[in-house]
Amino acid sequence: MSLLPKIPHVLYGGDYNPEQWPEEVWEEDVRLMREAGVNIVTVGVFSWALLEPRPGEYVFDWLDRLLELLHANGIHADLATATASPPPWLAKLDPESLPVTREGVRLWPGSRQHYCPSSVTYADAARALVEQLAARYGKHPAVALWHVNNEYGCHVPACYCDQCAAHFRHWLQERYGSLDAFNEAWGTAFWSQRYGDWDEIQPPRAAPAFRNPSQEIDWQRFCSDALLELFLMERAVLERDAPGTPITTNFMSFFKPVDYWKWARHVDLVADDEYPDPAEPSSAVDFSASCDLMRSLGSRAGWVLMEQAVSAVNWLTPNVPKHPGKMRLGSYQALARGAEGILFFQWRASQFGAEQFVSAMVPHAGTSTRSWREVVQLGGELAQLDSVLGTQVEADVALLFDWESWWALEVPGKPSPNLLLPDQIKRWYRAFWEQNIAVDFAHPEADLSRYRLVVAPNLYLLTDDAASNLERFVDGGSTAAFSFFSGIVDSRGHVRLGGYPAPLRKLLGIVVTEFWPLPDDEPCSIVLGEQRYACEHWRDWIELEGAEVVGTFADGWLEGRPAVTRNGGAWYVGTRPNPGATAELVRRLATEAKVASSVAAPPGVEAVRRSADGRSLLFLLNHGSQEASVEIAGEQLDLLSGAKHSGRVVLDPFGVAVLTT
Ligand code: GAL
């Protein structure tokens, strides 16, 4: 069982931009693609200006020849709809099709992604192009997947022009029905903000001081929905005119502007672009988190790593290359965590244009290079891994994560400026990662019955449905842990009254009566058992209402007061514990919830199991620059090396093993 019916293998390839090269090079490209085991390439992402050089005048002969060439060589296409970057003529035709920043600056052509999501001119031109592509290539044997647009929201997640203002008002009317309901939801009694007419409402453009938080949250919802409308417009054309071929678009990990829970329902498979910084030591862990998010967004049906760098990119400071072995290691990380395809940006390094210095499968220096050899090696290995297809990671733990809560949490004007959701998620995620405990991400309103333990880092915005979902979860005998500043506001962004976190107060057996955020230089610690640990940023003033104390603050005005509590299966952590304390809490929660590690591995070795129908594959990934030895049960076969191991496996620095019995 594979994600794409036309390719019953692990997908391998990358973005292919043949329009940057003379056609003689294409022949060499496909020869090298075959050498590297490439079975799919993403074509046409930035080809609109070539496919439609003048309004309504389409030129497809080059793409016809290219798709034929790929097909003749057994390579499939992930065919892009090419709508991510409009040609310069669109801006000339209608300058209002260009996006406008919060400060009122119009963004002009010359780069990419310069379109206003509410522009009818843009949408009409995009629709017409997709209709042409669908009619011409809908039945083409090379086309295995449709790639709609590219990285929605990248560069221009929001536009503040008048067309968007009108679109926003319409969206608000649909959401609230009446002006009274709208005014109530936005709390416009505050600061003389009451609106007497829909036409008075504006996007959150540059303003003198803090904006209305409810306006900010709705604006983020609207911006994500406006992009989704564009995706759905293209999707509808493809479904109508080119039925039968799966449709996707590429996500961007924990990308704040777009609510992927909402989007994931509309893609046939989840695809993701990932660029972990090779110079950043924590990036391997963060990358695993992104992979787990993608698996979860795709309801554990498998996902595709649509883009990653072979080595360096050109937008970090500095752009450090990947150490030999690290591209392979990262690729297996994705595979271990549910990916069924490993693709790159891009196939051949560009000679010109803004991405001249982004690495590629075929580098400027050609094929006598270590990076090409690594590309060929990986392609050869993945071709042997059909047995991975259809297996999946089974996690007993879920981290609750909700885009709406993220948006609401990070609207300025909070008790502390240090409330950044990714930081909180990463701190908890790392503790599970280091203990090799598999974790899914879940929306707070999702069915949680498959999990034994859920952890909610800073779940600031909590709906009534989510609160009852969590109550049911704990009442059913499972364990849930909430970190500070959770359950504070409702979906409008209004504070829930009656002591924090009001909707969880009974469940947790506590009430928080005051927040005590910490200046960065003020030390703070908690005591858990016999051990004292540092904590950061935040302290809650907790009053007990039936909960027992697990940990206490050890200094300052709150010395001796509860810091960590539990009420049966419902735990509460009223501060940001340091990594050591978070690890200790995770150990206790895992023991309590009877959740086990995949395998006992030394520090720096990531162990993840994928399984299905009696098949079980254990991925061991050594992130260290020294050999690592891992104890295993009985005799196991490494699918990569073909070696049989008994009792233990020794992994090279950055080495990988995929074991099966
Ligand atoms: C991605 C994008 C690609 C390319 C790549 C370079 O965000 O989708 O088109 O620009 O980055 O790192």
Side-chain angles (χ1 to χ4, degrees), residues 15 46 112 150-151 250 273 275 307 313 315 345 355 358:
D15 274 38
F46 295 108
R112 64 172 177 182
N150 195 62
E151 294 189 339
N250 38 351
D273 297 352
Y275 291 94
E307 286 183 26
V313 292
W315 40 266
F345 181 88
E355 294 186 330
V358 176

Side-chain angles (χ1 to χ4, degrees), residues 59-132:
V59 176
F60 290 117
D61 57 332
W62 68 270
L63 189 52
D64 292 350
R65 287 195 296 282
L66 180 83
L67 291 177
E68 281 314 309
L69 181 66
L70 291 174
H71 180 54
N73 283 277
I75 299 160
H76 283 90
D78 163 33
L79 184 57
T81 59
T83 54
S85 254
W89 56 253
L90 196 84
K92 185 175 159 208
L93 192 73
D94 179 10
E96 294 195 350
S97 68
L98 296 167
V100 172
T101 65
R102 205 185 263 266
E103 292 72 30
V105 177
R106 199 170 282 284
L107 303 176
W108 292 89
S111 178
R112 64 172 177 182
Q113 257 118 334
H114 46 276
Y115 62 85
C116 157
S118 305
S119 163
V120 175
T121 309
Y122 166 77
D124 286 349
R127 184 183 305 103
L129 176 64
V130 182
E131 281 171 350
Q132 293 282 330

Side-chain angles (χ1 to χ4, degrees), residues 229-302:
E229 272 178 42
L230 287 176
F231 172 78
L232 291 176
M233 176 274 283
E234 292 198 26
R235 185 182 168 103
V237 173
L238 295 171
E239 278 182 318
R240 185 192 66 202
D241 297 349
T245 302
I247 301 168
T248 194
T249 186
N250 38 351
F251 293 168
M252 287 176 284
S253 176
F254 287 86
F255 180 60
K256 188 177 171 189
V258 176
D259 181 349
Y260 289 145
W261 287 124
K262 218 167 167 181
W263 280 61
R265 298 198 282 268
H266 302 288
V267 293
D268 295 330
L269 59 88
V270 166
D272 186 42
D273 297 352
E274 287 290 338
Y275 291 94
D277 183 352
E280 171 52 56
S282 69
S283 69
V285 183
D286 299 345
F287 178 56
S288 288
S290 296
C291 296
D292 289 347
L293 176 66
M294 291 305 136
R295 181 182 69 248
S296 308
L297 286 167
S299 307
R300 294 169 294 280

